[in-house]
Amino acid sequence: MGKRIGEVLLSGLILGLCLAIFSGCGRDEESERVDYYDIVSKVDTLFEEVSSGEVKGMLLGMQYYFGEPVQLWSEGDEVYLVRTDGSREKLIAIPQAAAMCCYLDGDGSIYCWERYAELAENGIPSVWKYDASGQEVCRVRMEEGIVPEDICQLSDGKILLLLRDRAAGALTLAELDARKGVVSRLNRVQLGQGITLGSIASGDKGVLFLEQGVEEGISEISLKDGKKGVFQSFKGSGYILGMHAEGMEIEDFRTGEDGSVEILWAEAGSGRGVLERLQMKKMDKTVLVMQDTYCKDPAWLKETLAQFNKNNEQYYVIYECPEPDCEMEFGQGIAVQIAAGKGPDILMGDALSFVDDLAGKGGMVDLAPYMAESGMKEDYFPSAFSYWRDEDKIYSVSICGTLSYQWLEGTALGMESRPEIEILLDALLAQKEDVSYMERQLASDVLLDLLEYSENCCGMLDWEKGLCDFRGELYAKMMLVANKYGDTWDNVMAGKADNYRKPVVVKLSVLDIYEYETLEEVEKQGGILLLNEDGAGYEAPGGMGGLFAINANSAHIEGAWEFISYMMSDQVQRTQRSPMRATSRAVCIAAVEEELRWLDRGNVEYRNDELYDSQGKLVYSRSRSWSREDITDEKAMEYISMRDKAVGGGSEEERRMKPVWQIIREESEAYFTGDKSIEEVADIITNRVQLYLDENQ
């Protein structure tokens, strides 16, 4: 399955999605016709909603029972089986039934556990089994911090539990042996971490796992070796799990041989239960392919795409993004395809970084004429058009931006004005307190930040003469500072770096009116502002991935522009998770004013910053709050003013420096890990950068 001759199954199988980049990108080629499919959803109500005044009892669960959707209800301690035709069958009595989640197995036994852990003895849930006569077979108490979330029976009769470790956030599978009264974890299978939600069901070759979260879709897991294979991915499709079942929870699901999926949803409070059928359907509109290498807000993007695809009569946009750890290969594949005259119609977000050298060289469409022709009159911040721009030519647009500026902790460094780089380095090296440099964790990030303190790598690189030299005392001091204030890549990935716990000597004001600190506030704290020309801060476009460009190879440029102009509209920008970061001035100002009114009503904004290591374990947490007293009218006005004059990212200079930064980042790591001396690293960097300069004169 996956990619077949003549067709690409969009999100039907993840293999098809990964190979889609090597297809004809939504256009008919002489050698091959490419057809696209998407997931369509149909919902049928099986159990009608019952008003709370008429309900006698509580919905305990909804499931497939011998292939038929049924519900389990309690009236007092009595448990009833309810079928779709309205018939009821009394089963058994279970103590405290209304507080339980229940599941009926093939021989009529019922398994149950507390609906909420707080209702359990000492907050530790148990799992019970009652036979068909109502006799308790066993009760198994969970380990502390372990909560049951789902249950299923396999074709061989085994009972599996889906458990969550509340401390680590991880989901695990376990087998319940009722005869021995024990629960044994299947630790070879890793189902997901953090906010991942899921359900389990019996599959042909093991257990099926329906995942809700970043990686939406169904996997089939072998219990013999724990290997996890994709049955059907929802990623890249126009379907969002739960988009047609608002306020309802997944109770059970099953799959068909034709790749179809059936999901049972129920609303515990009302008893309403629905059956949702998912099926692949060939697109009958002109398909526009949009690709990114990493999706930062998949739920919002899917909802936005679904709205466009529903309302547009001619075009249908599909979104393709690689699996985790495939970003580099996917991005390189995009660059290869575009260079060969193919590639996606639309590029989004991080994908643009793989084709930086095409900006202004015919690879991307100049959007300025389309903006003028369409009469786009909305008022935008400069960051909306700054990433790829050559004077009047605009090659990309952004619907959100991140405002930031840096300032030195003057008091900590014993300074009152912006120092020369040599003085700053000496002060940083002399710092005896255990502090961090701008909360950086990677030493290489600290190094690059220092090199950007002034132009041309603080005099170590001359583009006009095509010369460089990183072998002096200045660069050596930078390496010492970076090593002191940063950590190695391996330590950061393992969660061993702890710079985020320390006070910082270089601070960053960023994001929105809550994070933002006025220039007056900074100066009162003894801060030394590090602003750009005309007192401007810096604004990076894209934010949550809202950066777009059109491939000049596309056969549907008009359609691609129609989609991008839709994304730039106030209508879409208002729906962003953080509309205060919108590039539309009207949307941003309206969002700021709404926040001020909300604060005026006595509300307080709370934020909790959390950091997880590579294993998903929480290693740091910080809580902050702001009231109306903290967010003054003057602060809000200055925030808007700073966005109006902020210097945008993605300049030609940044693109020119990108290969140089990559060389420095790669080679400097050897010093931070202790494998090479500063002198050895400086020699290698000088030689590699000089070679790059020679080749690009």
Side-chain angles (χ1 to χ4, degrees):
M1 298 179 71
K3 183 176 183 295
R4 300 198 290 244
I5 298 299
E7 65 183 54
V8 174
L9 295 181
L10 170 62
S11 79
L13 287 177
I14 199 65
L15 177 61
L17 181 60
C18 288
L19 292 180
I21 189 170
F22 302 112
S23 71
C25 299
R27 297 178 292 278
D28 291 345
E29 305 286 350
E30 292 182 4
S31 60
E32 181 180 14
R33 175 179 174 80
V34 179
D35 295 328
Y36 287 91
Y37 290 71
D38 204 350
I39 296 175
V40 295
S41 168
K42 181 182 179 182
V43 177
D44 295 316
T45 298
L46 302 180
F47 298 93
E48 296 292 342
E49 181 174 348
V50 182
S51 65
S52 59
E54 297 174 353
V55 171
K56 296 180 180 180
M58 176 68 68
L59 177 65
L60 307 181
M62 182 174 172
Q63 67 178 86
Y64 283 106
Y65 187 59
F66 289 103
E68 176 190 0
V70 299
Q71 287 188 338
L72 297 178
W73 275 85
S74 73
E75 290 185 10
D77 290 344
E78 301 292 338
V79 178
Y80 291 83
L81 176 69
V82 182
R83 303 185 187 277
T84 54
D85 62 3
S87 62
R88 290 159 51 93
E89 176 186 346
K90 184 177 178 180
L91 298 177
I92 64 173
I94 296 176
Q96 305 293 322
M100 298 292 181
C101 293
C102 291
Y103 176 83
L104 182 63
D105 76 3
D107 64 7
S109 298
I110 292 182
Y111 297 83
C112 61
W113 64 90
E114 293 91 351
R115 186 180 303 275
Y116 303 107
E118 293 76 10
L119 301 176
E121 181 182 348
N122 297 323
I124 302 177
S126 296
V127 176
W128 286 264
K129 177 182 178 180
Y130 294 90
D131 65 21
S133 67
Q135 294 297 311
E136 181 179 315
V137 177
C138 72
R139 174 190 177 185
V140 184
R141 201 173 190 212
M142 298 292 100
E143 301 172 40
E144 187 172 359
I146 302 299
V147 179
E149 294 203 347
D150 199 9
I151 187 171
C152 75
Q153 184 178 34
L154 302 184
S155 57
D156 60 4
K158 289 182 180 177
I159 297 294
L160 296 186
L161 296 173
L162 181 65
L163 306 176
R164 182 179 298 280
D165 185 328
R166 300 181 79 176
L171 288 172
T172 59
L173 277 180
E175 181 180 350
L176 172 61
D177 188 331
R179 290 180 300 175
K180 298 180 180 179
V182 296
V183 170
S184 305
R185 288 205 218 181
L186 306 177
N187 292 320
R188 291 173 299 178
V189 180
Q190 295 297 317
L191 299 179
Q193 306 208 5
I195 62 173
T196 298
L197 303 175
S199 300
I200 54 176
S202 179
D204 293 337
K205 300 178 181 178
V207 60
L208 296 172
F209 177 56
L210 175 56
E211 182 173 351
Q212 293 179 270
V214 176
E215 302 300 323
E216 286 190 347
I218 298 176
S219 302
E220 189 161 24
I221 301 164
S222 169
L223 297 183
K224 293 181 179 180
D225 55 19
K227 290 185 178 179
K228 181 178 175 183
V230 175
F231 176 86
Q232 183 156 55
S233 172
F234 303 153
K235 189 174 182 179
S237 71
Y239 173 73
I240 306 168
L241 190 60
M243 63 190 299
H244 301 305
E246 186 175 356
M248 309 180 85
E249 295 183 356
I250 295 175
E251 297 288 334
D252 202 359
F253 69 98
R254 66 182 179 184
T255 60
E257 293 182 358
D258 60 351
S260 61
V261 178
E262 292 185 354
I263 306 175
L264 298 180
W265 299 82
E267 191 174 71
S270 69
R272 180 171 179 258
V274 303
L275 166 61
E276 181 178 26
R277 292 182 177 89
L278 306 180
Q279 189 72 57
M280 304 301 296
K281 180 182 178 182
K282 183 179 175 180
M283 295 295 97
D284 53 6
K285 298 180 182 179
T286 299
V287 170
L288 304 174
V289 178
M290 180 170 67
Q291 293 179 344
D292 196 354
T293 53
Y294 176 71
C295 188
K296 299 178 178 65
D297 195 346
W300 173 82
L301 181 60
K302 280 192 174 186
E303 290 172 2
T304 307
L305 286 177
Q307 195 64 37
F308 175 84
N309 292 335
K310 177 182 177 181
N311 296 332
N312 194 282
E313 297 180 355
Q314 184 176 357
Y315 298 104
Y316 191 98
V317 177
I318 65 170
Y319 174 69
E320 296 178 350
C321 189
E323 288 297 287
D325 302 325
C326 296
E327 294 95 334
M328 183 63 68
E329 294 84 351
F330 196 79
Q332 291 170 344
I334 292 175
V336 169
Q337 288 288 296
I338 291 179
K342 299 181 180 180
D345 299 285
I346 304 167
L347 285 91
M348 179 182 177
D350 294 339
L352 273 66
S353 64
F354 287 89
V355 289
D356 272 341
D357 56 341
L358 297 178
K361 299 178 183 178
M364 297 298 145
V365 175
D366 177 12
L367 303 178
Y370 293 90
M371 294 171 62
E373 184 178 347
S374 65
M376 185 181 286
K377 298 179 180 179
E378 286 91 342
D379 191 9
Y380 296 94
F381 293 117
S383 59
F385 315 111
S386 66
Y387 184 76
W388 271 354
R389 183 166 189 167
D390 182 9
E391 297 181 351
D392 293 334
K393 294 182 178 181
I394 298 171
Y395 298 101
S396 70
V397 295
S398 176
I399 67 174
C400 53
T402 300
L403 175 68
S404 64
Y405 67 87
Q406 296 180 23
W407 53 282
L408 292 173
E409 183 66 78
T411 303
L413 295 172
M415 301 173 181
E416 296 182 355
S417 60
R418 177 169 180 160
E420 296 295 327
I421 183 62
E422 294 88 347
I423 297 175
L424 174 62
L425 293 173
D426 287 339
L428 291 171
L429 288 172
Q431 183 68 237
K432 294 182 179 180
E433 294 183 19
D434 192 15
V435 297
S436 174
Y437 182 93
M438 206 171 74
E439 294 187 359
R440 297 289 199 191
Q441 294 189 57
L442 281 173
S444 57
D445 284 342
V446 177
L447 176 61
L448 295 186
D449 200 65
L450 292 169
L451 285 167
E452 291 183 285
Y453 190 75
S454 63
E455 295 181 357
N456 293 329
C457 296
C458 298
M460 291 177 243
L461 186 151
D462 191 324
W463 281 103
E464 293 184 2
K465 295 181 180 179
L467 298 173
C468 71
D469 191 349
F470 294 86
R471 293 170 294 198
E473 181 182 354
L474 183 60
Y475 181 74
K477 282 187 177 181
M478 288 184 179
M479 291 286 279
L480 291 171
V481 170
N483 195 44
K484 176 179 179 179
Y485 287 87
D487 213 325
T488 65
W489 174 259
D490 288 342
N491 282 347
V492 170
M493 292 304 295
K496 297 179 181 179
D498 63 351
N499 291 355
Y500 44 81
R501 300 179 186 274
K502 305 173 185 177
V504 296
V505 293
V506 179
K507 296 189 177 181
L508 193 69
S509 183
V510 68
L511 293 179
D512 54 26
I513 58 172
Y514 295 112
E515 306 279 351
Y516 183 74
E517 295 182 84
T518 67
L519 306 186
E520 183 180 1
E521 288 173 338
V522 171
E523 291 176 347
K524 284 182 178 179
Q525 297 176 60
I528 302 170
L529 294 166
L530 302 178
L531 297 173
N532 291 292
E533 297 177 4
D534 302 322
Y538 173 87
E539 182 155 0
M544 292 301 291
L547 184 66
F548 303 90
I550 299 176
N551 181 3
N553 300 323
S554 172
H556 309 297
I557 292 176
E558 294 291 339
W561 167 250
E562 193 170 331
F563 171 72
I564 287 180
S565 60
Y566 163 77
M567 296 299 291
M568 290 294 288
S569 68
D570 286 1
Q571 168 193 349
V572 171
Q573 294 209 25
R574 286 191 201 98
T575 67
Q576 297 180 83
R577 185 180 300 178
S578 302
M580 281 189 287
R581 295 169 59 189
T583 54
S584 163
R585 293 187 81 257
V587 171
C588 175
I589 292 172
V592 169
E593 291 175 345
E594 177 60 31
E595 286 296 307
L596 295 179
R597 288 192 292 270
W598 182 76
L599 293 170
D600 280 335
R601 295 194 291 270
N603 294 301
V604 177
E605 171 73 5
Y606 294 97
R607 293 187 180 178
N608 187 43
D609 303 326
E610 295 181 342
L611 182 68
Y612 295 84
D613 64 18
S614 58
Q615 304 302 313
K617 182 180 179 181
L618 179 66
V619 294
Y620 171 71
S621 178
R622 176 183 63 170
S623 297
R624 293 176 293 166
S625 64
W626 295 266
S627 67
R628 186 63 166 95
E629 292 182 358
D630 303 308
I631 311 301
T632 63
D633 291 342
E634 291 74 21
K635 173 178 282 193
M637 292 174 62
E638 185 175 297
Y639 171 76
I640 299 297
S641 175
M642 287 289 279
R643 292 204 63 189
D644 267 325
K645 60 185 180 182
V647 176
S651 65
E652 179 62 33
E653 176 64 18
E654 286 184 47
R655 291 194 289 275
R656 182 171 68 165
M657 286 298 297
K658 186 177 177 181
V660 175
W661 296 142
Q662 185 61 29
I663 292 171
I664 293 173
R665 186 184 293 277
E666 290 174 0
E667 300 299 342
S668 64
E669 191 72 9
Y671 167 68
F672 303 133
T673 58
D675 294 331
K676 293 179 181 177
S677 66
I678 291 179
E679 292 74 21
E680 290 175 307
V681 169
D683 278 338
I684 294 172
I685 291 176
T686 299
N687 292 333
R688 285 192 61 187
V689 173
Q690 187 61 58
L691 179 62
Y692 173 77
L693 294 175
D694 294 341
E695 292 175 346
N696 289 273
Q697 284 296 309

